[in-house]
């Protein structure tokens, strides 16, 4: 009906259509204090990163999505980061790459093995850390360093 009137009787349509309301920019709209929001969000991000890194039983990779989920503000971290410079910088410093996360898993596995096993084998560390073959090859030196560094006894088998 709208289109028919618009096409066939424009004059009547213009006279009988209600006028549009013009929205003014400052009336009733509260402005966001981006500096305050940035400081608050940066503190929250720091706390969440600390809590993720302190979990010992189920290791979770520190990612922007994981932090956003735990904050309940995933959309803000995805779209509004340009207005939150401190938070953006903290996120860039805190986010783990896949390789960093694998190294953290290796360290965690070796710590656990030191408490329960008398000898640590490289293949056991690889399997317990959930590394694929190509990742284990790339991280072989890290695995050896961690075993030597954290090992309490001399029963190391490679």
């Amino acid at each position: 009906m709208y289109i028919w009137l618009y096409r066939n009787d424009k004059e009547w349509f213009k006279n009988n259509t209600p006028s549009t309301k013009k929205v003014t920019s400052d009336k009733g709209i509260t402005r966001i204090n981006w500096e305050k929001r940035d400081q608050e969000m940066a503190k929250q991000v720091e706390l969440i990163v600390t809590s993720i890194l302190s979990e010992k039983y189920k290791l979770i990779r520190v990612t922007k999505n994981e932090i956003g989920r735990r904050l309940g503000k995933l959309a803000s971290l995805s779209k509004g980061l340009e207005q939150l410079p401190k938070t953006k910088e903290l996120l860039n410093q805190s986010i783990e790459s896949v390789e960093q996360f694998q190294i953290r898993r290796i360290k965690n596995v070796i710590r656990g093995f030191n408490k329960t096993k008398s000898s640590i084998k490289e293949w056991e560390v690889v399997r317990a850390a959930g590394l694929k073959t190509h990742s284990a090859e790339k991280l072989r030196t890290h695995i050896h360093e961690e075993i030597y560094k954290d090992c309490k006894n001399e029963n190391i088998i490679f």
Side-chain angles (χ1 to χ4, degrees):
M1 186 65 135
Y2 173 88
I3 292 178
W4 188 89
L5 281 172
Y6 183 79
R7 287 181 184 160
N8 296 310
D9 199 355
K10 274 189 189 173
E11 199 61 40
W12 182 90
F13 183 75
K14 286 180 183 177
N15 292 334
N16 292 305
T17 304
S19 62
T20 57
K21 294 180 182 178
K22 293 190 178 188
V23 179
T24 56
S25 62
D26 277 346
K27 292 184 180 178
I29 298 174
T30 56
R31 297 285 176 191
I32 297 171
N33 184 346
W34 287 106
E35 286 182 34
K36 182 179 176 186
R37 182 176 282 188
D38 189 21
Q39 290 174 352
E40 291 171 358
M41 200 130 176
K43 287 177 187 176
Q44 292 173 341
V45 166
E46 193 172 350
L47 290 173
I48 288 174
V49 168
T50 304
S51 74
I52 291 172
L53 291 175
S54 66
E55 292 176 6
K56 294 182 182 178
Y57 299 109
K58 184 176 183 197
L59 297 182
I60 297 172
R61 184 174 158 211
V62 181
T63 61
K64 186 166 68 170
N65 283 341
E66 182 62 29
I67 293 168
R69 262 186 246 113
R70 290 186 182 205
L71 263 176
K73 298 179 181 178
L74 185 57
S76 296
L77 290 181
S78 297
K79 297 177 184 174
L81 263 184
E82 295 306 317
Q83 295 161 330
L84 307 168
K86 290 178 186 176
T87 305
K88 182 178 180 179
E89 183 180 335
L90 185 62
L91 277 174
N92 289 336
Q93 292 171 357
S94 303
I95 290 174
E96 284 181 316
S97 68
V98 173
E99 189 171 303
Q100 290 170 328
F101 180 54
Q102 290 170 339
I103 292 170
R104 188 161 59 101
R105 287 195 329 238
I106 290 167
K107 289 178 182 180
N108 189 47
V109 165
I110 292 173
R111 263 187 257 121
F113 280 173
N114 278 336
K115 294 176 185 174
T116 59
K117 292 188 168 227
S118 60
S119 66
I120 300 174
K121 298 175 185 164
E122 180 187 354
W123 68 267
E124 290 176 319
V125 173
V126 170
R127 180 180 286 172
L131 300 177
K132 294 185 178 172
T133 309
H134 67 278
S135 299
E137 291 298 322
K138 280 199 301 189
L139 298 172
R140 175 169 267 142
T141 57
H142 288 288
I143 294 170
H144 290 276
E145 288 172 7
E146 290 302 321
I147 289 174
Y148 277 124
K149 185 168 58 173
D150 288 344
C151 193
K152 295 176 186 172
N153 53 27
E154 300 298 321
N155 298 327
I156 303 170
I157 301 170
F158 292 108

